[in-house]
DNA sequence: GATGAATGAGGCTTCATTCAT
DNA sequence: TATGAATGAAGCCTCATTCAT
């Protein structure tokens, strides 16, 4: 059950899971507050509710903590996206619903998105690649919804572009909050983004109908 | 001429400018390679071509270097944007030209955009605010072009939203290059983004005409 | 038990006491040899028998070491003074005994007195004030002995003056040793100082008796 | 004219004297404020009214500045003491006058006495010895006054002891000002010290007369 | 398994001194 | 002679990691 990419000297798998959950919970808050580099392992241990020695029983390096945190965020986001997107019905309106839900999700996990967004670069190369694969997977989900919901066929590239745009517009809500959240409420933001998104994917023929 | 927000013990203003230019040049490369936190002051000094002692004649703290770097990038981007956008003619095509140029600019300064993007958070609070003001200024330039170039009036919020979207779509080309630059060339990326942007701002009436 | 004015990241109070004792012991020697400013933290660590990292587990700054050293010296001096002075009997001869003992004590702790004497000025303001209070306490002890032992009443100021004189004459033995200890042995020094002290507090009437 | 113990690369003797006077004047203030170790050579140069480069034209090391300062203070104190003490008349009352004047002098040069007092230890060994010789000279002046003014003969050691006591009681007024200057005005301090001093050197026989 | 004291490499910064102009 | 930019050794302190209990 616990992430096998991170080695632990403890054997008991359930315990590993438990301790790592504590760890992730403690670390996220810290990473949000002060960033990965300015957070010390001692602070992480304390926020997790155990000693520095114990912390190192469940990870090998500080970067492991970051990896666990980022990975857990990705998992949670992905999980929720999957719940939103697995509609059978494929239509413009279901597409709109999915996009709206995605924006709501991002709003809900603003801080986590921020961490995911800013600290991935601090991961070691291999962990970074692993994480980017996950992100690809998430974009792919958006791609699928888009491709399936439009009444006409778009090129693979166009689908990818639109999916990336939506994906990043979601993230923007978080990382440009200092600007956007002064001008928009979540609802108006969603409303206008969806509005322009729809216009950009409307077929001319449809419009006239 | 040199940035007065950063104190220097050297008097000669021209020399300050010169040394700081060396410093910025050296530091950008390092920050791109390994990020601000993993770069040491000694590495910065070396990359700048002088001793650690000399480095500290021109700044007070390591964060000053980051500030100088980020500020210089903002200045260069802004300068180039100003050159692109001050067209008298205001029309859809001039808008498209501006957007295209902006994307080209971002491509040209990919690494710098990346730094600007990822390390601003490491600045001390006041420097961060100063920098965000600069970013606001850049978005405002886009807003002006958009508002002036469309043959109809958009709400202030819509203009802002579209400007932010364009701005971030430019940055995306840099910070999501691992994904986008595998699927698109710069030209096709610009082409498709502009395509969808145009669709999203086209008036229905115009379309039918 | 350990001094609470200096923060430590170690929890175990006994260990703190132990390590700080090592630290004080090592540091005193160094401070005597080369003074506070010319002593490095690494030298202190080495002289204490542990690593620089460990040193900083028990203090926050180099000045903390100085404070611990000075405070410990004051405590030791005060302790010994208390042992000497709490005689019930109050008479000229008990006063003389106390003064003699005090001079002997100062001789015994010459180096420590020297440090106490020369480095207090390097303490941060609040620590300095705390230490001066302690010194006041010590002078007050002398004042009490003087006031109680003389067969007539002196003004508060005169008592204070005499106490300060004695106190400083003790310290002199240490900080003017380059001069005094060439001309006097401890015994002759005590003898002559006591002699003149007695003359200065003798009542004329008594003399004639 | 300028102190030959400190080397200078400048030839012009008058200029050396001039610059060093500036230097001493600037440095004393700084040493009083923050002590020798916490004062930087750049601060000294600035307070002296010239550049760091110029500073080093007139001295070899930072310690040279301290030496010049201390030496100058000693010279000034000695000069004034000589002026006070070279009375022909030798009597108890002339002794008292001399002592009073000395206390007044010390009060007048409190800060300088403090520096002299606290920073001598920071001098290199040979400079320190030179300076201690000077101090011996000053004590010797007091010894002479004492020996000549009393109507009976004291042992060499007793004279020395009394001279040292007076000398240090003067310095005390400066270095224990935090305590003494709360309880005494200069006049009352002098008054009481002289009072007790007189008692301690009065001959019993004289008293009865 | 849990603890937390111990370690020391390494980071940032200062500052006495030099030297070309 | 005067200047002040350049230098780099050296200082203080932090913190990821280990390991004995």
């Amino acid at each position: 059950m616990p992430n096998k990419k991170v080695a632990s000297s403890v054997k008991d798998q359930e315990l590993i899971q438990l301790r790592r959950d504590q760890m992730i919970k403690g670390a996220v808050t810290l990473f949000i507050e002060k960033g990965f580099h300015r957070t010390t392992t001692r602070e992480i241990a304390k926020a997790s509710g155990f000693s520095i020695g114990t912390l190192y029983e469940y990870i090998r390096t500080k970067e492991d903590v970051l990896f666990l945190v980022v990975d857990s965020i990705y998992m949670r986001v992905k999980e929720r996206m999957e719940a939103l997107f697995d509609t059978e019905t494929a239509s413009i309106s279901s597409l709109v619903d999915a996009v709206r839900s995605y924006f709501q999700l991002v709003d809900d996990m603003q801080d986590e998105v921020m961490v995911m967004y800013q600290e991935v670069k601090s991961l070691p190369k291999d962990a970074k690649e692993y994480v980017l694969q996950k992100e690809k997977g998430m974009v792919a989900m958006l791609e699928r919804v888009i491709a399936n919901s439009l009444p006409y066929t778009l090129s693979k590239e166009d689908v990818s572009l639109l999916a990336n745009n939506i994906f990043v517009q979601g993230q923007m809500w978080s990382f440009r909050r200092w600007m956007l959240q002064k001008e928009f409420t979540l609802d108006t933001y969603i409303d206008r983004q969806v509005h322009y998104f729809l216009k950009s994917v409307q077929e001319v023929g449809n419009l006239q109908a």
Side-chain angles (χ1 to χ4, degrees), chain A residues 64-151:
Chain A
D64 282 347
V65 181
L66 178 56
F67 177 70
L68 288 177
V69 165
V70 169
D71 194 39
S72 126
I73 295 176
Y74 268 101
M75 277 171 58
R76 283 158 59 201
V77 174
K78 193 168 190 186
E79 230 165 60
R80 292 186 53 176
M81 281 181 76
E82 274 161 357
L84 302 173
F85 292 0
D86 70 346
T87 43
E88 293 299 300
T89 51
S91 65
I92 289 274
S93 86
S94 70
L95 171 56
V96 168
D97 284 351
V99 170
R100 284 180 172 282
S101 309
Y102 167 66
F103 281 148
Q104 249 134 12
L105 156 64
V106 166
D107 177 67
D108 210 42
M109 297 182 67
Q110 272 187 64
D111 289 337
E112 285 84 356
V113 168
M114 204 74 188
V115 169
M116 182 171 112
Y117 196 75
Q118 304 211 305
E119 306 294 0
V120 166
K121 71 161 201 303
S122 299
L123 287 171
K125 205 164 178 307
D126 54 340
K128 189 152 48 194
E129 267 157 31
Y130 167 85
V131 157
L132 293 185
Q133 286 312 315
K134 292 228 165 178
E135 182 152 339
K136 262 193 188 159
M138 286 163 57
V139 174
M141 293 174 59
L142 276 171
E143 288 173 350
R144 245 169 283 132
V145 181
I146 291 170
N148 294 339
S149 303
L150 292 182

